[in-house]
Amino acid sequence: MKMTLDASSPREGSPDPEARRTADVVAFAGSRAGFERALGGFRAILDRHALEPRTRYRCELVFEEIVSNIIRHGCADDQEHHISVTVAVIGDRVTLHFEDDGVAFDPRQSVPARESVGSDSGGRGLALVRSVSERIDYERTPNHENHLDVTIAAGPNR
Amino acid sequence: MGMLVTAVDDKITKVMLNGRLDTVGVGQIETSFAATLVPPGKSAIVDLSGVEFVASMGIRMLISVARAMHQRQAKLAIYNATSLVQEVFDTVKLSDIVPIGRDEDDARRIVSS
């Protein structure tokens, strides 16, 4: 299913689960400008879920690090790219689902070699994502998209 | 992202940062932050009490400026991070590179030693 651009509030009392689902998606161009515009929509989604402050911080951290990494490395060519992020809150767990059509990139494979604190590379960001995540799943789809699920661990720092 | 610079004395500069040290916030202040702290060769303390969010870009900025200051025999220390920001610093062991003071007095002591 192709996700739609909609970061607006869900319709009050809407019985349509699809309407509620699309309201928790933010989609944007794979560029710095697209990222900056999307940030407000993503934070508005989090506002609606009234998350505990630590969980909220972790969601924003994962969004920041994953999206900036996609734009920096996955969308560095001259092509137009698109990114979407879906927020799913179930109980005290939040899963962020990222889709992009940039070059293949599995963040699970890239963290250990570059996570040195002394490095100026983006590896530090992926190390942060790993530190606040309970689970990370990645798939490169047959139609050349990256699908990444990051489930954020709630509660105390691990 | 906001930045307020004051002189503690003739040897130490104090910077108060406000806002978010993410990709957008760092893009707004990185040039002026570095230009304020590096060329004079004076040590500096950075109050982070007004910084609600720090991501890897913010950490990179702090490390980059601290290293540039070190090359000029100056020191940089940060202090007053919120508990959530401090968790991020702890995760990446930032204090191995940029000293973190408990409060302003501690930060001043660190850069004066």
Side-chain angles (χ1 to χ4, degrees), chain B residues 20-86:
Chain B
R20 296 168 60 89
L21 282 177
D22 55 9
T23 299
V24 176
V26 169
Q28 291 169 344
I29 67 153
E30 183 168 27
T31 300
S32 56
F33 184 71
T36 299
L37 295 185
V38 177
K42 289 174 58 178
S43 291
I45 57 175
V46 180
D47 184 346
L48 295 176
S49 58
V51 176
E52 64 192 74
F53 181 82
V54 175
S56 64
M57 285 292 284
I59 294 167
R60 182 192 57 74
M61 181 186 81
L62 293 170
I63 290 175
S64 172
V65 169
R67 284 178 168 162
M69 291 174 66
H70 180 71
Q71 290 179 343
R72 294 173 179 257
Q73 285 72 53
K75 295 180 181 177
L76 175 72
I78 59 179
Y79 65 101
N80 274 354
T82 68
S83 59
L84 294 175
V85 168
Q86 185 62 47

Side-chain angles (χ1 to χ4, degrees), chain A residues 81 100-104 138-147:
Chain A
H81 291 285
D100 72 87
D101 56 2
V103 299
Y138 170 81
E139 178 191 15
R140 180 68 174 179
T141 68
N143 58 338
H144 310 294
E145 289 187 344
N146 298 303
H147 287 192

Side-chain angles (χ1 to χ4, degrees), chain A residues 27-39 63 67-84 100-101, chain B residues 23-24:
Chain A
F28 48 100
S31 64
R32 172 77 179 267
F35 180 23
E36 293 186 12
R37 282 195 295 271
L39 183 58
F63 180 86
V67 172
S68 62
N69 198 73
I70 291 170
I71 292 170
R72 201 165 46 238
H73 301 294
C75 305
D77 56 20
D78 294 333
Q79 307 297 312
E80 278 191 18
H81 291 285
H82 302 280
I83 301 170
S84 70
D100 72 87
D101 56 2
Chain B
T23 299
V24 176

